Amino acid sequence: MRLTEEQQEIYDGKKGETYAKVMQTLVRYGELFGAEEMTEVTGEYGHLVTSFGLKVIHPVYKLMDELIDSGVASKQKFTMDPRPLDANVPSGPIKDLVFKKFMYSMQDEYEQQLKKLGLLSEDGFSCACYFDEQGNRPKKGDVLSWAESSAVVYANSVLGARCNRNSGIIELFGSILGYVPKFGLLTDEGRRATWKIELKTSKLPSAQVLGSAIGMKVMEDVPYVFGLSEYLGEELTPEVCAYLKNFGAATASNGAVGLYHIDKLTPEAKELGESLINDDAKTYVIDDAELKRVVDSYPVIWKNPDAKPKMCFIGCPHLSKAELTDWINKICDGLKASGRTKPVIPTVLTSAPGVIKSLKGSEELKAAEAAGLVISYICPLMYCDNPLVHSTPIITNSNKLRTYTSCRFYEDETVLAMITGGK
Amino acid sequence: MKEFRGRVIVKGTCTATALVSHEGFNTLASYQTSFLTGDKKATCSDQNNPDIYKKPMAGAALCLPQTIGSTTGGMILYTASDYGRQPACMLFSKPIDSIGAAGVLLSDIWTDAKMPTIDSLGDDFLSYVKTGMTITVKEDGTVLVG
């Protein structure tokens, strides 16, 4: 890899051994993928995936200490994925004790380390850092050093920024140096579509299921989707962005998609159209039967598949403001229709701290409180992804949560009916 | 004995017993329970991967197509290496993925662990190798199986 004089000096240790190791890690990382140079990180803020102070990842805290003690600081401030704990979320005394005293006992210390390295704010904890309320929204063409697969795919596809699917720690190193190796989704070539997706369904498909089908088919490749803008329109309205957020998270978790193009809708598809598609692109046709096949293929890993659900999580990735208010209204209307005052299944709606704050005092939050809904900034994945919760039958409308935990997936309408006791 | 040749990601030599995952290796799902329980054998906890579920990963010659799953994967592999619970080597049939690459490089540069890593060994490698076979890795990227 060709390095600038400044980069070479860092590599050679002129800024100290720790900076040199950071640079050597990124150089070797880039060389594996054919990068010939480092490119400047032009996005204003970074975003880190490792937001949890899990006691057992002690080596991470050791590495953080090494960085801090060596005087290393991030060139840019950064936001984080959601916190793993929120006292509002029902758990019970045993889980509470285990979560706070054992599993996530390093949370406070870890957040102190993050502050020293460049944490943007106390409220900067959400997987949807790009929400206006969270303040980390890159511009088109910005080069980013982010991890968190759902945020990366959204930034690339909907915002037109440029970011590879980085691992935790690697993304922090990019923010520290202000450079990342130029390869993959940072290049024009790497952003070309290698799959044509032809949507031939009878109605707008569930974002979660469509994303899942495409993710499982194309894995880490770049799909170009025809037929979706006929349902969604050609403007990126808040509703369309929410759909694409959920769609992208499913492509990234059920597969490893880092970028998708939607014909006539997403920025690069609008600009460049079908010229983005490689000549040898493969084709995947999706109709109603194919989506049914995909849903039917999901394993149910509850010990008792007929168990009565004990909890419901809605909001992985975090709900936008419009989604959160819409879910509260739909649930309250559903409860009214079924003659109930509280949900049949304890339900947690998760959203970004900034979104929840912006709704403080609103009619929607008062209605949610009256109905016993829990509104939380927690990461549902962190809550569910541990042995204490594995045996609890939890339902969700998130395909990402289904993929990484024992939660059982249902589409929105079914989840709504289950929690409100409706038909 | 059959010989395969790939690209050297992390140089080194080792001889170990093969543990073969024909599906993508989900790093977080595979390690999470052993981290929580302090299991030094790093028994695989990924229920969705029957090839390696409940089998010890520490010290094994892990044969895989690529890694899959959470972008915390690199951090997880680094953590396993710092604890000394990493595989003896990682042998990728396909070109290494970005999350797997992060994990093996963080292990190599930021810990004392030795985990020779070879990629692009080819589909034939993963078809041929079976869990329990003896694997020898050489510095030039040669892998001897059987």
Side-chain angles (χ1 to χ4, degrees), chain A residues 221-397:
Chain A
D221 288 348
V222 179
Y224 189 105
V225 184
F226 291 96
L228 193 53
S229 54
E230 287 169 21
Y231 294 115
L232 295 178
E234 298 181 14
E235 296 300 324
L236 290 168
T237 63
E239 292 74 22
V240 170
C241 287
Y243 182 98
L244 294 179
K245 165 181 68 82
N246 298 326
F247 165 80
T251 65
S253 56
N254 286 231
V257 173
L259 164 68
Y260 59 81
H261 302 294
I262 309 292
D263 190 43
K264 299 176 187 165
L265 181 59
T266 51
E268 281 155 281
K270 270 195 156 179
E271 251 178 52
L272 301 166
E274 294 181 35
S275 69
L276 273 172
I277 306 171
N278 278 352
D279 291 341
D280 59 352
K282 290 168 265 188
T283 300
Y284 177 34
V285 178
I286 299 179
D287 56 15
D288 295 342
E290 174 63 0
L291 291 180
K292 183 177 182 307
R293 182 194 68 76
V294 168
V295 172
D296 290 347
S297 74
Y298 299 153
V300 177
I301 54 176
W302 289 358
K303 274 187 181 165
N304 172 13
D306 300 321
K308 191 179 166 196
K310 288 195 173 162
M311 202 170 175
C312 172
F313 269 112
I314 297 170
C316 175
H318 275 167
L319 298 169
S320 68
K321 188 172 183 176
E323 285 182 298
L324 178 58
T325 54
D326 187 47
W327 267 106
I328 292 170
N329 291 333
K330 281 193 298 193
I331 293 169
C332 289
D333 289 349
L335 291 173
K336 205 171 169 186
S338 66
R340 297 172 198 272
T341 55
K342 304 283 180 195
V344 177
I345 304 165
T347 298
V348 182
L349 302 171
T350 53
S351 184
V355 169
I356 297 171
K357 269 193 177 172
S358 76
L359 284 170
K360 206 171 176 186
S362 67
E363 291 306 314
E364 284 87 358
L365 281 200
K366 286 177 193 165
E369 194 179 345
L373 297 171
V374 175
I375 311 294
S376 172
Y377 53 72
I378 200 171
C379 175
L381 208 155
M382 285 295 114
Y383 179 93
C384 298
D385 193 15
N386 76 75
L388 274 183
V389 180
H390 283 170
S391 56
T392 307
I394 299 175
I395 63 166
T396 182
N397 70 335

Side-chain angles (χ1 to χ4, degrees), chain A residues 177-198:
Chain A
L177 294 176
Y179 294 101
V180 284
K182 189 174 180 184
F183 70 92
L185 298 176
L186 304 190
T187 67
D188 290 344
E189 184 60 29
R191 297 178 75 84
R192 295 181 59 76
T194 48
W195 279 88
K196 281 192 280 189
I197 310 297
E198 294 178 7

